[in-house]
Amino acid sequence: MTTQTILPVNAEGLSQLSKQRQEPAWLTENRMKALELAASLELPKLEKMRIERWDIQNYGSFKESGSITSLAEVPASIQELVKDQESGCLLIQRNSGVVYAKLSPELAEQGVIFTDLLTAAKEHGDLVKAHLHAAIPADEHSVAALHAALWNGGIFLYVPKNVEVTVPLQAVLLTDDGEATFAPHILIIADTNSSVTYVDNYVSSNGDKAVTHNGAVEVFAKSGAKVRYATIHQMGTNVTDLSYRRAVVDNDASMEWIVGEMNSGDSMSDTYSVLQGNGSTSDSKIIAVGSGSQKLNYTTRANHFGKSSESQMITRAVMREEATAIINGITKIEKGATKSDGQQTEKVLMLSPKARGDANPILLIDEDDVKAGHAASVGQVNQEQIYYLMSRGISREVAESLIIYGFLAPVVSQIPLEGLQKQLQAVVERKLGQ
């Protein structure tokens, strides 16, 4: 059965908006083609879930918030996230546009570009045009096409050849107007032998108006580059989160994903590394906590094309109350990718008899001279462990907390950023009602 995609804007309105924002002609053309595709393409197919039953039509309209000159002016909902960042490298998007942008003079002198994506499209057109939608093409499905047509705000990060950025570059993406489109696009290009760490947080206010977040991340790690991408999604029950993340990794380059899926509404994400270069590597660490009646679908993928490429994927999810989670891990080793090594682990811990979790490890191997392995488990909290801890004078609540943190620790402890570890810990505690 084909599900009709309801377009949130018509071609005339989109063209007018693009001209109003003085977008380059090539960008306007891209948007128009993508909108036409969105009307004909089907929705993506999720493993064991029907996304057409989700509330995913709340795109709103383009509304840009006024810019701010000081972090003292940021909304209260993100003040804790940006405190002590006055001297740091930081971008803030609020609803449909970036309202604050700062890059240290030292990095600017080295040629680092860290700005909103629309500004980059105007000022660095050739660089943006060559990479935008190259990893996540608009013709994949209607969600990708709608994103390509409607994206707004977004982040552009370019690190020149041989430049090593030693401080994390950070962004906060906030939706607090239920009538505004929220579809940021993150585009990161790490040139040959460069290195960078990028961290972002997705946040929403506790409004009643339903919002669809249709977001995309594209990372291009050129030969010898090292990219670490850390993200925490902690949006409210009114936000349906559709996130596609994809990295293209060249010869001897490395990509590290650190993802905290901490939303309170229905969420899906696809975190995908394309290991196209020889000696390329990918390391994905995903933790998720589901509560209430959430429906969650998280997929982590690695596709090996290059010889001696390596991938590691670890996902751990905790489900409370009546939450349902489908956790997918897919390792594909193509013909010719000799000496490659792909490993994955998915584990789901359920805290309630009504919670549901499903771990699906998949290996697709088209080459003989490789290594590949997977492990998966789904289960309830071990009552014997709880009783043992309680027999030592620990309350049931604390005992359950210790078991949960022990379950998540193998992922959280590997996160090399101390600040991000603490932030994830705080978000996990809040999600668990502690």
Side-chain angles (χ1 to χ4, degrees):
M1 181 182 74
T2 301
T3 303
Q4 181 68 36
T5 298
I6 301 174
L7 298 180
V9 66
N10 58 36
E12 182 180 352
L14 182 61
S15 177
Q16 188 175 24
L17 179 60
S18 186
K19 290 177 182 177
Q20 179 185 324
R21 293 190 289 184
Q22 299 181 324
E23 295 182 349
W26 64 265
L27 181 52
T28 302
E29 184 180 352
N30 280 0
R31 291 189 186 277
M32 301 303 291
K33 288 180 179 177
L35 187 67
E36 184 178 354
L37 281 171
S40 59
L41 293 174
E42 295 186 14
L43 288 167
K45 292 178 173 57
L46 302 186
E47 183 74 21
K48 299 181 180 179
M49 282 190 179
R50 300 183 65 177
I51 194 173
E52 61 269 21
R53 295 181 177 177
W54 291 20
D55 191 4
I56 57 171
Q57 299 292 347
N58 302 295
Y59 279 91
S61 57
F62 179 83
K63 290 185 179 182
E64 196 162 6
S65 303
S67 61
I68 61 177
T69 57
S70 166
L71 295 184
E73 303 172 43
V74 303
S77 56
I78 62 171
Q79 284 180 355
E80 189 67 22
L81 293 174
V82 302
K83 70 177 183 178
D84 303 324
Q85 291 294 319
E86 287 285 2
S87 59
C89 303
L90 175 69
L91 268 74
I92 300 174
Q93 173 166 341
R94 187 177 189 184
N95 299 312
S96 302
V98 170
V99 297
Y100 179 89
K102 184 169 185 178
L103 175 66
S104 70
E106 294 80 10
L107 290 179
E109 287 176 4
Q110 295 180 68
V112 174
I113 303 170
F114 188 47
T115 186
D116 69 277
L117 185 53
L118 181 55
T119 296
K122 295 176 182 179
E123 298 179 359
H124 310 280
D126 290 344
L127 191 58
V128 175
K129 184 179 180 181
H131 294 85
L132 184 63
H133 310 310
I136 308 177
D139 59 3
E140 281 200 3
H141 44 65
S142 63
V143 170
L146 275 177
H147 173 83
L150 301 175
W151 69 262
N152 51 64
I155 311 295
F156 179 76
L157 169 59
Y158 172 74
V159 185
K161 182 179 180 179
N162 297 324
V163 172
E164 296 185 10
V165 180
T166 58
V167 296
L169 305 182
Q170 301 187 58
V172 177
L173 302 107
L174 167 69
T175 173
D176 61 356
D177 182 345
E179 301 290 342
T181 304
F182 185 58
H185 189 102
I186 314 299
L187 179 58
I188 298 174
I189 305 167
D191 216 330
T192 305
N193 295 324
S194 64
S195 67
V196 68
T197 296
Y198 167 85
V199 181
D200 63 27
N201 276 270
Y202 288 72
V203 187
S204 73
S205 63
N206 296 319
D208 296 327
K209 182 71 175 178
V211 175
T212 298
H213 165 248
N214 183 345
V217 175
E218 295 183 297
V219 180
F220 297 87
K222 305 299 183 179
S223 296
K226 295 179 174 60
V227 179
R228 177 184 294 154
Y229 186 108
T231 183
I232 299 178
H233 286 224
Q234 47 181 318
M235 292 179 283
T237 56
N238 62 314
V239 181
T240 299
D241 185 2
L242 311 176
S243 294
Y244 287 87
R245 312 179 187 102
R246 194 163 301 177
V248 180
V249 191
D250 286 346
N251 292 338
D252 300 314
S254 68
M255 179 70 208
E256 182 178 2
W257 298 103
I258 302 168
V259 180
E261 302 282 12
M262 301 292 158
N263 290 320
S264 296
D266 293 342
S267 304
M268 67 75 54
S269 70
D270 185 328
T271 304
Y272 183 17
S273 294
V274 181
L275 300 172
Q276 69 177 17
N278 296 334
S280 56
T281 63
S282 171
D283 185 355
S284 304
K285 305 178 182 74
I286 320 289
I287 67 169
V289 178
S291 59
S293 58
Q294 276 185 282
K295 297 179 182 63
L296 310 174
N297 192 295
Y298 300 134
T299 299
T300 310
R301 295 192 281 163
N303 200 347
H304 297 248
F305 290 92
K307 294 178 173 61
S308 300
S309 53
E310 298 181 3
S311 67
Q312 175 73 44
M313 302 185 296
I314 301 175
T315 303
R316 297 213 170 189
V318 176
M319 295 295 107
R320 297 177 62 216
E321 299 163 341
E322 299 180 13
T324 300
I326 305 296
I327 308 296
N328 307 301
I330 304 173
T331 302
K332 186 174 184 183
I333 301 180
E334 304 286 351
K335 185 68 175 176
T338 56
K339 306 297 183 183
S340 292
D341 187 353
Q343 306 293 328
Q344 58 169 285
T345 303
E346 296 84 39
K347 294 188 177 183
V348 183
L349 180 66
M350 295 177 290
L351 306 185
S352 162
K354 294 184 178 180
R356 292 289 180 269
D358 192 354
N360 304 302
I362 300 171
L363 299 178
L364 304 171
I365 313 298
D366 290 333
E367 180 59 62
D368 295 329
D369 188 14
V370 299
K371 295 179 182 178
H374 65 74
S377 67
V378 177
Q380 299 282 346
V381 173
N382 190 322
Q383 294 299 320
E384 290 185 1
Q385 291 179 337
I386 293 177
Y387 293 147
Y388 174 81
L389 292 171
M390 291 175 65
S391 71
R392 296 299 187 267
I394 298 174
S395 69
R396 173 178 286 274
E397 183 181 42
V398 173
E400 287 186 349
S401 298
L402 290 172
I403 291 171
I404 292 166
Y405 295 138
F407 175 76
L408 296 175
V411 177
V412 177
S413 64
Q414 293 186 51
I415 296 174
L417 304 173
E418 183 179 353
L420 189 63
Q421 280 194 30
K422 292 180 179 178
Q423 186 186 343
L424 264 176
Q425 179 95 358
V427 176
V428 168
E429 289 176 357
R430 186 168 67 249
K431 279 283 287 180
L432 295 173
Q434 298 168 356

